[in-house]
Amino acid sequence: MCFVGGEKMNGLRNKEKLVNAVEKIWKLDIDRDIKKKFMDELIWHIGTVDGQIGLVYKKYDLKHRSEGVVRLGIGDTKKLHQEHVIPRKILKNKLVDAKNIKEINKILKKIKVCVVTREEHKRLELTKKFGWEKYKSAGIKVFDVSGKEPKRLI
């Protein structure tokens, strides 16, 4: 049983079930654009489940955080943004175009979400890089805060 927004939600926030849903949708013989919409939604959920710290789901309580968020904290959500390290539009196209389940699982492992400040998000949008390289290019330090002390990743 998983918790979403303080409420019990059976399976909705279970990564294994979300991955299984991606595999099932990939196999469906449906319009490509419809398949991409499903994939987009699932990518968002997988990213937040994978980065979630506590048992109760909170949108910005994720393990990857920028230096600005580490300093600011996650209380003032109006100043925060969830940033997909590799944009969802790229991931959903790769998932729809995947040749087999092994390729799908390889793509799913690349889903990462980092909480950044709105100002940092604007800087990230200016770079043409992808993945953690865009954070380096924008001069944004990233930390894993899932342990007792924040651990610098980038």
Side-chain angles (χ1 to χ4, degrees), residues 60-85:
Y60 299 107
D61 195 13
L62 303 176
K63 67 181 178 181
H64 296 126
R65 298 181 191 170
S66 69
E67 183 177 33
V69 174
V70 170
R71 285 187 189 154
L72 181 68
I74 59 171
D76 189 356
T77 59
K78 289 183 173 109
K79 294 182 180 178
L80 306 178
H81 179 80
Q82 266 191 6
E83 175 80 19
H84 284 80
V85 177

Side-chain angles (χ1 to χ4, degrees), residues 69-128:
V69 174
V70 170
R71 285 187 189 154
L72 181 68
I74 59 171
D76 189 356
T77 59
K78 289 183 173 109
K79 294 182 180 178
L80 306 178
H81 179 80
Q82 266 191 6
E83 175 80 19
H84 284 80
V85 177
I86 298 175
R88 290 191 337 233
K89 65 182 174 184
I90 291 172
L91 292 167
K92 71 182 174 185
N93 284 321
K94 287 185 178 219
L95 286 171
V96 169
D97 295 336
K99 305 293 182 229
N100 53 50
I101 298 295
K102 186 177 180 180
E103 189 177 340
I104 285 172
N105 287 315
K106 198 173 182 179
I107 295 163
L108 292 175
K109 288 179 182 171
K110 295 179 180 181
I111 299 172
K112 301 282 183 238
V113 178
C114 183
V115 181
V116 297
T117 65
R118 297 245 178 232
E119 181 273 324
E120 290 168 329
H121 175 64
K122 289 175 187 172
R123 288 178 21 216
L124 288 166
E125 286 181 327
L126 297 175
T127 181
K128 302 291 184 220

Side-chain angles (χ1 to χ4, degrees), residues 26-79:
W26 176 77
K27 291 177 183 178
L28 291 175
D29 184 21
I30 59 174
D31 180 75
R32 188 180 198 295
D33 288 336
I34 293 170
K35 202 179 271 196
K36 283 172 35 178
K37 287 180 183 181
F38 282 124
M39 294 299 189
D40 188 58
E41 187 69 23
L42 289 166
I43 289 165
W44 188 88
H45 286 288
I46 290 169
T48 56
V49 165
D50 197 40
Q52 186 174 327
I53 293 177
L55 290 175
V56 176
Y57 172 68
K58 295 178 186 166
K59 185 174 181 181
Y60 299 107
D61 195 13
L62 303 176
K63 67 181 178 181
H64 296 126
R65 298 181 191 170
S66 69
E67 183 177 33
V69 174
V70 170
R71 285 187 189 154
L72 181 68
I74 59 171
D76 189 356
T77 59
K78 289 183 173 109
K79 294 182 180 178

